Amino acid sequence: MTTSTELPDSGAVGLRSISARALREERGALIGWTIGVVAFCLVMLSIFPSIHGNANFAQLLNAYPEALRKMFQVENYTTGPGYLRAEVFSFVAPLLLTLFAVLWGSDLSAGEEERRTIDLLLANPVSRRRFVLEKWLALIVGTVILAAALEIALGVIGPLFKLHVGWSRLTAEVLASWLFAVAFGTLGLSLGAATGRRGLARGVTTTLALASYLLSTLSTLVSWLRPVRNLSLWQHTLGVDPLGSGFHLDRIALVIVVTLVVGAAGLWAFDRRDLAT
Amino acid sequence: MVQVESRGPSRPTTSRPVARFDHVTKIYRGGGGVHDLTLDVQAGEVLGFLGPNGAGKTTTIRLLLDLIRPSTGTIEVFGLDSRRDSVAIRRRVGYLPGDLALYEHLSARDVLSHFAHLRGGPPWSTIRALADTLELDLERPIRSLSRGTRQKVGIVAALMGDPELLVLDEPTSGLDPLVQRQVHEMLRAAADAGHSVFLSSHILSEVAQVADRVGLIRDGRLVAVERVVDLQQHAAHLIDARLRGTPARASYATLPGVTSCTVNGHDLHLEVAGDLRPVIAALAASDLDDLSVREPSLEEVFLSFYDNVD
């Protein structure tokens, strides 16, 4: 088995690159998160048939003050898109994606430094930039897998529960969730790379992601927040309601640019600092 | 002892050094670091870097690998700049960290093949052969390995690329004596093949066994760089003797090799550099009650060596 003179392929993915190894190390966690996301979708979808077209329920919700209906996004709750918006995309699904991205992103560089494996890794002819870029690539692939699971669960299983939204609108909404998650995952990676401290990166990034969500959501109720809500990445992704209005290319481009700038800043800082012993 | 050419810090060298620290200072905020370090590693030599824990050995090694950057001064490896050409340098350097950490969830095989890929491929047969030499089982996950076995994985990782320069931070820590000797033989073989080895240690005997030259670092400052053969010639032994009568100081202080002589009642304390035989003969002829001869500590060797030079 090991007598060959060729390098063995290590598992299906192989460990030819730092990205491949990062994904291999995260494999178990990624499977867990995927199961969690799909299970959440299943639970939410299984309730929908009892709500779908339920006039009494619609009446009940309409009795709520408008402000609350806006905040919890329960407009058209008994329709497929309305239900998905309120129960899946208003908070939980983007939160799951983002939490996964932030927890892992913050660990990708800083975790390797805190566990001290980075010394031996960077003894190889690998530049620091390549290290961070490969880690970032792994983050992209991992979050795409999780987002794809979300999309497939809703798009394929949804119709079985009479929930139809159409692939295009669903994709626009999942893409928005994914962009939000990747932006903050990238921030976690960058902060971790710039400081070498995983806990700090996680704490700061999670706080900012929540602040971003709250700023966008509360600004529908609190008028004085409205002028500053454009500082919220949530506003530019899920805040524009891709499920109802489709792709907003300008907003997508904006979020991508912000993400790239954050990533580049992390690279720049990481390239210049001393790595922790 | 190993044949060494005439090398020393004061002698001009004809060939370009493999690695050169030029007035390198690295200061940490909390103190520590290295101060104004100037040191060469020559082609084909094993340079031992000796000092107590916290003296700056690891700092020096991590500077060479560009894991940390000097506050002032420059480091050249293979004539390349340690910062600008770091990737090109690391292609030709094998490194074993002092505080070795490996990927716990992977097997030794996965770790080593991963690094082999990143290096652009020493063949698996090379890795296999090194692992066999050290009797390393590659299939077990890292987390199940003992400290010594992990160290073997690190040693294979450092050696597998057949690097021109080996940089090893406390390479034999955690290894049993038999494996230590194997590792020393591997390092000597690398040096004999014209490669260079820069290794740190806080154990004098390890450095004496494997190194051609030794540098002593203390509190971040390079105190001395000497050839091991020179040190061994001058190495003092510490002799404590108890005599039935009162030792006559003059009859011992004048013996060849005695550099220090103290008498305290029946007790005689001698420091002897070089050949011990005249002193032992004199003691054997006396009315001896008790005798101990011990190897001096690293610090004592260097201090006595400098006493002799002065």
Side-chain angles (χ1 to χ4, degrees), chain B residues 232-247:
Chain B
Q232 282 170 334
Q233 276 167 14
H234 290 89
H237 282 83
L238 307 178
I239 298 178
D240 285 299
R242 168 165 286 211
L243 304 175
R244 297 241 164 84
T246 308

Side-chain angles (χ1 to χ4, degrees), chain A residues 41-259:
Chain A
C41 291
L42 275 178
V43 169
M44 284 306 160
L45 290 171
S46 66
I47 300 168
F48 183 67
S50 64
I51 290 161
H52 178 51
N54 187 328
N56 294 335
F57 207 92
Q59 226 169 5
L60 179 74
L61 287 171
N62 280 333
Y64 277 35
E66 195 200 347
L68 283 182
R69 291 206 306 271
K70 269 190 181 168
M71 170 139 182
F72 294 104
Q73 300 182 31
V74 290
E75 303 290 350
N76 305 316
Y77 187 77
T78 56
T79 68
Y83 180 79
L84 270 195
R85 187 184 303 119
E87 292 298 342
V88 175
F89 288 104
S90 68
F91 185 60
V92 178
L95 175 88
L96 286 176
L97 281 180
T98 305
L99 214 52
F100 169 73
V102 169
L103 291 178
W104 191 29
S106 303
D107 183 79
L108 278 168
S109 175
E112 187 129 21
E113 203 172 335
E114 286 189 352
R115 290 187 292 272
R116 305 184 321 277
T117 51
I118 200 167
D119 262 40
L120 200 52
L121 180 66
L122 289 187
N124 293 298
V126 173
S127 70
R128 291 194 187 184
R129 283 178 200 194
R130 179 176 155 198
F131 168 78
V132 175
L133 283 173
E134 283 211 29
K135 291 282 187 166
W136 188 68
L137 191 65
L139 179 71
I140 299 294
V141 173
T143 49
V144 162
I145 291 170
L146 199 55
L150 176 67
E151 165 118 7
I152 290 167
L154 295 173
V156 173
I157 306 171
L160 304 179
F161 293 97
K162 302 183 201 165
L163 193 146
H164 302 270
V165 282
W167 283 105
S168 168
R169 293 292 164 88
L170 178 62
T171 304
E173 186 82 356
V174 171
L175 176 68
S177 309
W178 178 79
L179 283 171
F180 184 79
V182 167
F184 283 94
T186 304
L187 180 62
L189 171 60
S190 283
L191 278 176
T195 63
R197 292 163 64 189
R198 185 175 54 159
L200 175 112
R202 280 182 175 170
V204 170
T205 308
T206 309
T207 306
L208 287 175
L210 280 175
S212 187
Y213 161 75
L214 286 175
L215 177 59
S216 173
T217 312
L218 290 179
S219 69
T220 57
L221 295 181
V222 185
S223 58
W224 59 265
L225 279 177
R226 223 151 283 166
V228 289
R229 72 177 177 191
N230 279 339
L231 292 174
S232 159
L233 282 185
W234 186 283
Q235 180 65 30
H236 297 295
T237 49
L238 292 140
V240 293
D241 187 25
L243 201 56
S245 57
F247 296 94
H248 294 256
L249 293 178
D250 53 339
R251 306 296 182 105
I252 291 170
L254 173 73
V255 176
I256 289 174
V257 167
V258 169
T259 303

Side-chain angles (χ1 to χ4, degrees), chain B residues 75-127:
Chain B
I75 302 161
E76 279 188 3
V77 186
F78 311 121
L80 301 168
D81 182 79
S82 70
R83 287 209 54 184
R84 202 183 52 239
D85 307 313
S86 173
V87 173
I89 289 170
R90 284 181 272 140
R91 205 177 299 283
R92 298 158 68 184
V93 172
Y95 169 52
L96 176 68
D99 196 4
L100 178 68
L102 299 160
Y103 301 106
E104 297 286 320
H105 300 295
L106 302 181
S107 65
R109 156 197 293 273
D110 285 338
V111 170
L112 291 170
S113 76
H114 179 51
F115 289 159
H117 279 304
L118 295 180
R119 288 204 159 263
W124 184 248
S125 55
T126 305
I127 298 170

Side-chain angles (χ1 to χ4, degrees), chain B residues 144-215:
Chain B
S144 73
L145 301 181
S146 70
R147 174 135 188 275
T149 313
R150 286 165 194 239
Q151 193 73 0
K152 289 182 185 177
V153 177
I155 287 167
V156 173
L159 287 169
M160 69 183 179
D162 198 22
E164 291 164 64
L165 172 62
L166 272 164
V167 182
L168 311 168
D169 197 353
E170 308 264 357
T172 56
S173 73
L175 296 179
D176 64 58
L178 221 64
V179 184
Q180 280 188 21
R181 198 190 306 163
Q182 262 177 329
V183 171
H184 289 161
E185 281 168 12
M186 290 163 115
L187 300 184
R188 279 310 329 168
D192 292 344
H195 297 182
S196 306
V197 181
F198 182 38
L199 74 95
S200 82
S201 177
H202 63 277
I203 306 159
L204 177 63
S205 60
E206 164 161 57
V207 172
Q209 269 172 38
V210 72
D212 300 314
R213 285 196 305 151
V214 53

Side-chain angles (χ1 to χ4, degrees), chain B residues 62-78:
Chain B
R62 294 181 88 237
L63 281 166
L64 189 148
L65 286 146
D66 195 41
L67 295 166
I68 53 177
R69 279 68 185 266
S71 310
T72 58
T74 56
I75 302 161
E76 279 188 3
V77 186
F78 311 121

